[in-house]
Amino acid sequence: MSEQQQFRGPVDSSRIPRYAGPATFARLPRLDEVGTADVAVVGVPFDSGVSYRPGARFGGNAIREASRLLRPYNPAQDASPFALAQVADGGDIAVNPFNINEAVETIEAAADELLGTGARMMTLGGDHTIALPLLRSVAKKHGPVALLHFDAHLDTWDTYFGAEYTHGTPFRRAVEEGILDTEALSHVGTRGPLYGKQDLTDDEKLGFGIVTSADVYRRGADEVADQLRQRIGDRPLYISIDIDCLDPAHAPGTGTPEAGGMTSRELLEILRGLSSCNLVSADVVEVAPAYDHAEITSVAASHTAYELTTIMSRQIAAARQA
Ligand SMILES: N=C(N)NCCCC(=O)O
Ligand SMILES: [Zn+2]
Ligand SMILES: [Zn+2]
């Protein structure tokens, strides 16, 4: 059987215009249409953990809309991700917007169910709070995972207004809970003002290395990707991408924008340089379409999710062949 016949791919945009019909990620089938998937793209419309502008609850659907223009062959990774594995849109994990603790539990349970089917998750946020329950679930399956965290922010702060689960705190909680492999933790794209120098000391103590946005500019995407790849090795890897890792010129539609960020080209190139890593699941979070213009942010996010999906599909196909 040819790969094309084996997996159900996107709607053919040369036959049905790409702007027709309801949006799924990359015009892929829904999970309930294919039964099970190797990669499940799921939305988490939750933004009750934000410290500034709200609106990331609408991010997943904005990314789906912007992803209508994605095409099936990815030349940068020389792969047709939707022919190498079954990728499907699993819809949204519906969570309580008025109770953060309950929402975190619901996300973890839904992720357990999806990962239990053998799927890898490509999650579309939502604010960054959602990374914690997703990591909990991934660690139940794989043990403590390596983490690459693309973000302007550290997100290793302790609490906000006494709250433990917020979009500025998921990775401190994750280290405390022992679900991350502290030999392989990196922030990428970090920049902007902090509360104090202690933020950096605390972050380092938790085990994180930092590649700042200026480092990416000075050293270039290839060198940064090489260094990250060496640190990660063949550990199970989770990639969490806060779209505010990009400069506001490349991602205005987000809740806590910081000047001086990476370009979308730099982000995509670093991800392509990680294509040999054992990516077990990933998220793209913090897209807040109300502050976007001309879908700049959601287009960047859709291409980011496409590269991540391609990495996962290539590995699934390689594992199948081994
Ligand atoms: N995770 C994101 N996007 N932002 C965290 C910012 C936390 C703060 O307001 O200091
Ligand atoms: Zn951020
Ligand atoms: Zn963040």
Side-chain angles (χ1 to χ4, degrees):
M1 213 196 306
S2 82
E3 284 167 340
Q4 254 74 15
Q5 286 166 310
Q6 205 175 342
F7 303 113
R8 191 160 149 197
V11 172
D12 181 352
S13 292
S14 65
R15 293 161 59 89
I16 303 176
R18 46 172 54 96
Y19 40 83
T24 55
F25 181 74
R27 310 194 77 200
L28 284 160
R30 297 191 317 263
L31 185 54
D32 64 353
E33 293 173 311
V34 291
T36 57
D38 300 304
V39 180
V41 183
V42 287
V44 184
F46 172 85
D47 65 5
S48 309
V50 301
S51 56
Y52 197 46
R53 299 166 175 172
R57 64 180 62 180
F58 300 108
N61 280 339
I63 297 169
R64 289 185 175 107
E65 280 295 335
S67 74
R68 289 173 182 274
L69 187 54
L70 293 171
R71 300 182 192 84
Y73 174 64
N74 182 342
Q77 295 195 51
D78 186 23
S80 296
F82 313 133
L84 291 173
Q86 183 62 62
V87 186
D89 192 317
D92 286 343
I93 301 172
V95 297
N96 188 338
F98 301 108
N99 185 329
I100 297 182
N101 290 17
E102 186 193 311
V104 163
E105 280 173 27
T106 306
I107 296 164
E108 183 179 337
D112 287 350
E113 204 174 305
L114 270 169
L115 295 177
T117 67
R120 302 184 193 211
M121 286 182 75
M122 175 64 253
T123 309
L124 310 175
D127 77 48
H128 224 152
T129 311
I130 71 168
L132 176 66
L134 295 169
L135 282 166
R136 282 178 179 166
S137 184
V138 165
K140 269 183 245 172
K141 184 164 176 175
H142 298 278
V145 289
L147 172 71
L148 271 186
H149 167 223
F150 292 80
D151 202 321
H153 309 100
L154 300 167
D155 289 0
T156 52
W157 286 292
D158 191 4
T159 56
Y160 284 88
F161 294 83
E164 283 187 302
Y165 300 144
T166 78
H167 79 153
T169 57
F171 302 116
R172 179 184 291 239
R173 292 292 91 76
V175 173
E176 287 169 351
E177 294 180 17
I179 58 180
L180 299 181
D181 180 341
T182 50
E183 296 297 304
L185 306 180
S186 295
H187 305 294
V188 185
T190 318
R191 65 188 186 277
L194 299 171
Y195 296 95
K197 200 164 183 170
Q198 189 65 32
D199 293 353
L200 293 171
T201 319
D202 291 351
D203 187 78
E204 199 183 340
K205 275 196 205 131
L206 292 170
F208 281 90
I210 294 183
V211 179
T212 67
S213 143
D215 291 334
V216 175
Y217 165 71
R218 293 202 182 97
R219 292 167 42 203
D222 290 347
E223 195 184 311
V224 167
D226 286 349
Q227 183 210 338
L228 294 170
R229 215 173 45 237
Q230 275 167 28
R231 187 152 188 209
I232 296 156
D234 55 8
R235 296 174 165 89
L237 170 68
Y238 187 93
I239 298 184
S240 184
I241 301 190
D242 184 327
I243 206 65
D244 72 26
C245 70
L246 299 182
D247 190 86
H250 293 259
T254 196
T256 47
E258 311 280 353
M262 289 190 284
T263 65
S264 49
R265 181 174 56 228
E266 286 169 327
L267 172 61
L268 297 174
E269 280 299 308
I270 294 173
L271 295 178
R272 291 162 185 157
L274 299 169
S275 63
S276 64
C277 292
N278 179 20
L279 181 62
V280 293
S281 282
D283 65 58
V284 178
V285 298
E286 298 282 348
V287 171
Y291 318 101
D292 206 4
H293 304 274
E295 295 188 297
I296 296 171
T297 313
S298 46
V299 167
S302 73
H303 283 252
T304 301
Y306 181 67
E307 294 300 332
L308 294 165
T309 307
T310 305
I311 299 174
M312 290 191 248
S313 293
R314 289 180 72 204
Q315 277 156 18
I316 290 158
R320 196 182 293 118
Q321 240 142 45

